[in-house]
Amino acid sequence: YGERWTSLWLDLARFADTRGYEADRARNIWKYRDWLINSFNADKPYNDFLIEQLAGDLMPDPDDAKYIATAFHRNTMTNDEGGSDNEEFRTAAVMDRVNTTWTAMMGTTFNCVQCHSHPYDPFKSDEYYKFLAFFNNSRDEDTQSEYPVLRQYDTADSLKFTQLIAWLRNNVSDAAAKKYQVFLKTWQPTINSLQCDKFVNGALISSWYAGLRNKGTCRLKDVVLENKTQLMFRYKSNYDGGKWFIYLDSLNGQLVKTIPLANTKGEWKIVITAFPKVKGKHNLYFKYYNPAIKTANETGVQFEWFQFDQDFPGKGKAGYQIAFKDFNDLMHAQVDATPIMFENNKEQFRATHVFERGNWTVKGKAVQADVPDIMNPLPPNVPRNRLGMALWLTDKKNPLVARTMVNRLWEQLFGFGLAETLEDLGSQGIPPTHKELLDHLSWKFMNEYNWSIKRLLKEIVSSATYRQDSKVNEELIKKDPFNKFYARGSRVRLSAEQLRDQGLEVSKLLSKKMYGKSVMPFQPAGIWRSPYNGDVWTMSENEDQFRRALYTYLKRTAPYPSMMTFDGGAREVCIPRRIRTNTPLQALTSLNDSTSHVIARNLAFRMQKTGGKEASKQIQKGYEIMMYKPISPVRQKALVDLYNTALNKFKKDKKAMNEIIGLKSIEKGSNPETAAMVIVAGAMLNMDEWLNKN
């Protein structure tokens, strides 16, 4: 159940295993998919389900699960191309979060408003940017490491982490324990080195890291130094003897710190050093000097991030040295990291401006976070951040959230929503065919079912409307060709995932293994050809080849071919609904794709094993296994005729027989009867009643 409905939500969340754009490098975000599966299986109330995804990090004392939930809005694409403007693509990600929130959760084309007021629905252009302000203060900045991330420790480090937080709580304060708990798990707040500018004899390396050559300089703007006595930074260098000089406000200003930089042999290292007391906010100017560098164009040091803070607390208390060592060890620990949302602190707050005509480089008036005037107002006493916005969104006074989800679930079950345009419930969308029913189910979803998706689904599928058979006559086709008035059961082509999964299940190949990293089943060679990306498709082994389709690795610039053929998407943006198509490519895939052939082969083996010695009985049994009903005489005759034709061919062509069975030479089990049954099984897997829900 959880996997089936997670498959739907991954389209809305634009979930993928890569970052998109040119290089399209890998992204480690599979734990978000696990969170979805668990949430659907546990029937997490839909309002909580949305709040945690939008603002789990802002909830009181969030656990790992709430942080991982916020990966919903870290599925945005990031641009790894060298020379790209990080602020441009950070802004693009923020706008994508706004658009996805309205499309996925409220079925509204709010993205129309980013350039001008909505031509049809009552939204004004500046309201778009007021809403964008809710998202504009997240910490992500298009970095290579995709900060901020949730760092999850293995067993030994997890024990060390627990002991350190307990020591801080017992010897310093609850506030200190909470601060370091968050910092060790997220490395936030820090200042990413991509904020450096004014480079001389240096540059941003691949748009991510501040790199300085010998005697190179750069600037870090607007650093709050009030009450800061410690500098922590992450860097790497391949040279001995380097020195880093930090000046206040200009290269001719006060030299506040000189830091020796050891050779890290190309590995990232975190250093903690004392920093002199300085009042106020300043621009810091950096200079690097290293006489060991002999070539003018050689980068001597790269910085990733900086943190200006107070000293590690508890000095003088029993166990301080052990605690401080544990802190250092945990900072350097190898961890599993998942991109999450995390809010800026007051020192890093971003002002939000209207973009003139939607152009992010032309800033207009400043705006504060707010919701459109036409909608219900923000609830009283909620913060004006993502958490306040999430509480507004799921307030029962908001008419759109429940209607959008009810309409979406209806579409999954009947093939069309009550309002067909799932992505647009506004004035230009197709009006609901049964508005009162949509109102009724939406009210019950919120009030009577307390946002329970399982109860809503049970209500719909146990109704007389859903339980009709789908037989049709000429009169019904003439009156209602698309069954919008539900005089018969719906007939719906299965999704790409469902077609693969039920084929694997009926052939007894399907792995029931749940959770974990994405897998790579068979894929033809030559599909992955992204520039600057050396990743290759490495086929998974054993049962991982046959896991449910939702676990298949999805690369945005080269999605899994058979999924795309059956209307899956690249998930570069939110996909509110899949438009079902019927094309010759689908038949070519289901008849000739290697996975389809493996399924047909194993189904044939099952038919022979369970159907007795006669081919006609084997075909009868196979049909009953697949369709849960007896085969009709007409179908049986057609399939028996196909079997006999194939049998005669394979008796004369041993090479073709072996190819069909998957053997390079004649071996035990290789016989024309089995090869012919594989052909029949393949045909049965392409029958209309197998491909469609009737």
Side-chain angles (χ1 to χ4, degrees), residues 182-199:
V182 171
F183 184 72
L184 282 166
K185 277 189 167 293
T186 65
W187 279 0
Q188 297 300 325
T190 54
I191 303 171
N192 294 317
S193 70
L194 56 81
Q195 293 296 331
C196 292
D197 61 4
K198 290 196 172 181
F199 285 92

Side-chain angles (χ1 to χ4, degrees), residues 337-565:
T338 303
I340 58 167
M341 296 290 281
F342 195 93
E343 202 76 346
N344 276 330
N345 57 19
K346 291 180 181 178
E347 294 175 4
Q348 296 169 303
F349 178 83
R350 292 191 194 96
T352 300
H353 296 263
V354 172
F355 299 164
E356 297 292 346
R357 297 187 179 182
N359 184 346
W360 74 278
T361 63
V362 184
K363 304 291 196 295
K365 66 177 182 180
V367 291
Q368 303 297 317
D370 209 344
V371 297
D373 288 342
I374 194 68
M375 304 284 286
N376 53 302
L378 281 168
N381 303 319
V382 301
R384 287 185 179 264
N385 58 17
R386 280 183 287 111
L387 180 57
M389 181 272 295
L391 293 170
W392 164 81
L393 186 109
T394 55
D395 192 317
K396 291 181 180 179
K397 294 177 182 176
N398 184 342
L400 286 174
V401 170
R403 290 168 66 85
T404 300
M405 190 57 173
V406 167
N407 197 43
R408 178 163 285 118
L409 296 178
W410 189 276
E411 184 266 350
Q412 288 289 298
L413 296 170
F414 288 91
F416 293 96
L418 289 167
E420 184 178 333
T421 47
L422 272 62
E423 69 284 0
D424 187 2
L425 298 180
S427 63
Q428 297 302 293
I430 297 175
T433 53
H434 301 71
K435 180 180 177 299
E436 295 81 0
L437 176 59
L438 182 57
D439 291 343
H440 172 72
L441 288 175
S442 302
W443 187 92
K444 290 186 80 172
F445 183 37
M446 290 188 292
N447 296 285
E448 193 171 312
Y449 301 156
N450 295 315
W451 297 99
S452 166
I453 295 174
K454 284 187 175 181
R455 289 186 67 187
L456 175 60
L457 287 170
K458 186 175 181 180
E459 171 84 1
I460 296 172
V461 300
S462 59
S463 67
T465 303
Y466 182 77
R467 291 159 62 194
Q468 299 175 97
D469 75 37
S470 52
K471 291 175 183 172
V472 68
N473 56 44
E474 288 186 12
E475 183 184 1
L476 285 177
I477 290 177
K478 187 175 180 181
K479 287 184 175 179
D480 185 14
F482 299 107
N483 196 30
K484 292 297 183 69
F485 298 108
Y486 308 107
R488 59 188 184 275
S490 292
R491 181 176 176 278
V492 185
R493 216 273 316 286
L494 299 184
S495 70
E497 292 88 343
Q498 290 168 336
L499 287 170
R500 175 183 169 87
D501 292 352
Q502 76 166 10
L504 291 172
E505 170 61 22
V506 79
S507 60
K508 291 304 174 188
L509 289 171
L510 183 67
S511 166
K512 301 300 175 68
K513 181 178 170 183
M514 292 180 68
Y515 310 119
K517 295 182 179 180
S518 296
V519 295
M520 296 182 177
F522 173 82
Q523 174 175 279
I527 290 174
W528 279 23
R529 289 182 178 176
S530 298
Y532 317 121
N533 184 338
D535 293 345
V536 294
W537 184 275
T538 305
M539 195 165 97
S540 299
E541 298 180 348
N542 304 320
E543 69 172 312
D544 281 350
Q545 292 183 49
F546 304 118
R547 295 193 66 191
R548 291 188 184 276
L550 116 138
Y551 296 109
T552 301
Y553 194 99
L554 193 151
K555 181 174 180 175
R556 281 179 160 131
T557 54
Y560 196 62
S562 62
M563 299 289 183
M564 294 296 287
T565 303

Side-chain angles (χ1 to χ4, degrees), residues 31-32 35 52 56-57 61-71 149-153 158 161 181-182 184-186 336 338-340:
K31 288 188 177 181
Y32 170 68
W35 180 88
E52 290 177 25
D57 59 307
D61 299 318
D63 57 11
D64 285 6
K66 287 186 173 62
Y67 276 120
I68 288 171
T70 66
V149 294
L150 178 70
R151 306 173 72 246
Q152 292 182 288
Y153 300 100
S158 182
F161 173 80
Q181 181 177 20
V182 171
L184 282 166
K185 277 189 167 293
T186 65
D336 211 13
T338 303
I340 58 167

